Amino acid sequence: MLTGALTLPTLETPRLRLRWMTEADIPALFELFSHPEVTRYWSWSAYTERAQAETLLENIHKHFAERSLFQWGYARHEDDRIIGTCTLAELSGQHRRASLGYALNHAHWGHGYGREAVARVVEFGFTSLELHRLEADVDPRNTGSIGVLEGLGFQREGYQRQRYFLNGEIQDAVLYGLLRPEWRPGFATS
């Protein structure tokens, strides 16, 4: 997958640019992942130090080099400041599958940016990477994230009881999946 590429390709949407992140994006990554509401249902607690965002960026680059994780930062066209991330993880060429993850800066909730970015990564996964399956797990209380997935045609496939222990509580997860034959291009904007 993306053999020979030194960075992720830039993906465009009407309002967003999904792009490779650099050291210049560390402040935006820290802002994104230091907000407790953004990380409420994430797999780690809110950041408290800039060094955590620095480590995140190092890991994003390392895992891309290994081709085990593709993580784009996405920014609005007008200012190119990262407002969220969208990730394909657990990439498997053999099984033609990946796990999907995404986050959006709290200040930009409610404008459809998350859905727009996720829809573009789904399209890239099914067309450019020729994946057959995308999946995501989400806390059942995270209605915004569930709305993004269901709005893009993902189907609820299972309930994973007490899957995570985070912020002092045990959290459940709902598994969603979307198969290439079920995907409808342009579905996100309809």
Side-chain angles (χ1 to χ4, degrees):
M1 292 184 201
L2 300 181
T3 306
L6 299 177
T7 65
L8 285 169
T10 299
L11 308 177
E12 301 283 344
T13 73
R15 300 182 298 165
L16 302 171
R17 177 175 295 108
L18 289 81
R19 62 173 176 77
W20 183 250
M21 290 183 283
T22 68
E23 288 183 12
D25 298 310
I26 290 172
L29 283 171
F30 178 69
E31 182 181 335
L32 169 65
F33 289 113
S34 65
H35 198 288
E37 286 188 62
V38 171
T39 59
R40 172 70 177 94
Y41 304 117
W42 201 251
S43 55
W44 66 70
S45 298
Y47 287 171
T48 57
E49 300 174 10
R50 177 188 159 104
Q52 292 169 292
E54 293 169 358
T55 300
L56 173 64
L57 184 64
E58 290 171 11
N59 286 332
I60 289 168
H61 291 174
K62 175 184 159 226
H63 292 299
F64 175 75
E66 298 167 352
R67 299 305 192 259
S68 61
L69 178 137
F70 296 168
Q71 188 164 359
W72 289 265
Y74 57 94
R76 295 177 305 158
H77 287 294
E78 59 262 26
D79 59 15
D80 200 41
R81 179 171 166 74
I82 296 298
I83 61 169
T85 65
C86 198
T87 308
L88 292 175
E90 301 171 9
L91 290 154
S92 173
Q94 176 185 353
H95 301 294
R96 298 176 42 216
R97 139 192 114 64
S99 294
L100 179 67
Y102 44 92
L104 175 62
N105 185 308
H106 185 265
H108 298 282
W109 286 7
H111 300 285
Y113 293 126
R115 182 177 167 140
E116 190 172 324
V118 172
R120 184 63 182 93
V121 169
V122 166
E123 177 185 23
F124 180 81
F126 285 142
T127 59
S128 297
L129 298 180
E130 299 180 348
L131 297 174
H132 178 73
R133 174 184 171 80
L134 289 170
E135 58 192 35
D137 71 74
V138 60
D139 188 299
R141 300 168 294 178
N142 190 346
T143 56
S145 187
I146 288 171
V148 167
L149 293 171
E150 291 179 351
L152 294 173
F154 280 76
Q155 300 296 310
R156 181 179 168 152
E157 296 181 339
Y159 196 92
Q160 300 167 315
R161 298 175 306 138
Q162 301 181 9
R163 183 158 193 241
Y164 297 106
F165 184 77
L166 188 62
N167 297 321
E169 71 174 356
I170 295 174
Q171 298 177 359
D172 296 341
V174 179
L175 180 65
Y176 279 86
L178 181 63
L179 304 178
R180 171 65 176 97
E182 299 167 342
W183 173 65
R184 295 186 306 176
F187 188 64
T189 57
S190 58

